[in-house]
Amino acid sequence: MTHAGPAVPVVVHDPRTTTGTAHALVFAPVTPTWDEGAFFAPVIETLTGAAGAGAGAGATAGPDPAPAAVGGRAAGVTSAASAVRRGSGTGPGARAGAGSGVRAGARAEAGARTGTGTGPRGRAAAGVRGGLRVTVVDTLALLDEDVRTLGDLVARWRALLPEFGPVDLLCGNALGGAVAQGLLPYVAPETGVLLVSGPARSDALLEQRLTEIADLAATGHTDAALALLHHRVLPEGTPAPRTVSAAVATSRPAPRPTGRPTAEAPNRPTSEPTPRNTPAQRLDGGLRLLCGIDLTPAVEAHPGPLLHLVGGRSQLVTRRHTAAAPHHRVHVVPDAGMRPHTDQPAEVSALIETFLREKGLT
């Protein structure tokens, strides 16, 4: 079933229990194409209650095999994102104002999802428990030539945030996690936060590794960029297949000017940019947005609960790239890489279930 909704690619997973009313908004990482949330499948199972539903209840493990798609697949990205950009004026607020039908449809769907709109604490006090409704969005759907920093992308999403209705849990992986943290000053104070390898700040090593992949994509070596990215998300110490080493060695771009890229002046290729919805442009544009970031103040100031999961053997985002207030929790998953929810799904699922239960979200 297709719902009216925001003008970006969206997939909605219903909770596995009828009493579930809390709403989780998930921001996807950089992927070469929109995968409709497949990257986060183990986490979605836990959020919707599928992981713990049990055969006795007649539930099938895993996300709903036919989640409601909003905004279409890759073919819908250009028209959906351009609808946002065509709003009058130049600021993010003007972009969000494009199309009253978009707002009306999203509000109608949000109302159906959240019922009376009461917060998670009110629902917990009333004894209402169950899985969450999960909305997964393509974080890069709003990427265009005007988005040159993470702050630019956060501003785009800030303008669209009201269209999703009340959000009880803000989630994100990698770039999606960075965007989620950038949005913290603009959500309700009690909003829960679940991050998986979502950097709050970068350093020279992370930027060097991200830029190496982005440079390959920017110079037309998309296969090599994808091969290197696939290797980098695996746990450190995992041998790189010879095909990865060969692809990178034979397609390595010419040396670029040295110097750390910053959020104000990203180190971008000077060649003509490719369309923003191609795999090369998504890799190039998306990965560079993580260079020179520091979201520490926004994270530390958030009064709501936060759980951040990172891999103990991650080659990219590690513990040192996270930020947290004293009441937040950062958990390092041993033997996991950039995607601990894939490397250690049972441990990650248990951690998330405990977090949701303690915070009254399930």
Side-chain angles (χ1 to χ4, degrees), residues 145-207:
E145 62 278 2
D146 293 330
V147 175
R148 297 185 59 82
T149 71
L150 182 70
D152 293 338
L153 188 59
V154 168
R156 291 281 181 89
W157 281 108
R158 177 190 176 187
L160 282 184
L161 199 57
E163 311 301 338
F164 294 92
V167 175
D168 302 307
L169 185 68
L170 200 59
C171 309
N173 179 213
L175 175 66
V179 169
Q181 291 170 93
L183 289 170
L184 290 182
Y186 313 111
V187 298
E190 69 274 12
T191 302
V193 184
L194 174 62
L195 306 170
V196 179
S197 302
R201 51 185 168 229
S202 62
D203 62 11
L205 179 60
L206 177 60
E207 292 173 8

Side-chain angles (χ1 to χ4, degrees), residues 224-293:
L226 289 170
L228 184 56
L229 176 61
H230 175 71
H231 173 63
R232 288 296 189 198
V233 302
L234 298 176
E236 188 172 16
T238 304
R242 274 187 273 180
T243 53
V244 173
S245 302
V248 173
T250 57
S251 57
R252 192 176 301 278
R256 300 167 56 85
T258 58
R260 173 172 169 159
T262 65
E264 291 74 25
N267 188 10
R268 291 185 175 277
T270 57
S271 58
E272 187 70 20
T274 55
R276 295 285 166 170
N277 62 338
T278 67
Q281 192 61 43
R282 287 170 65 92
L283 292 172
D284 175 32
L287 294 177
R288 292 186 199 278
L289 293 180
L290 292 173
C291 294
I293 67 170

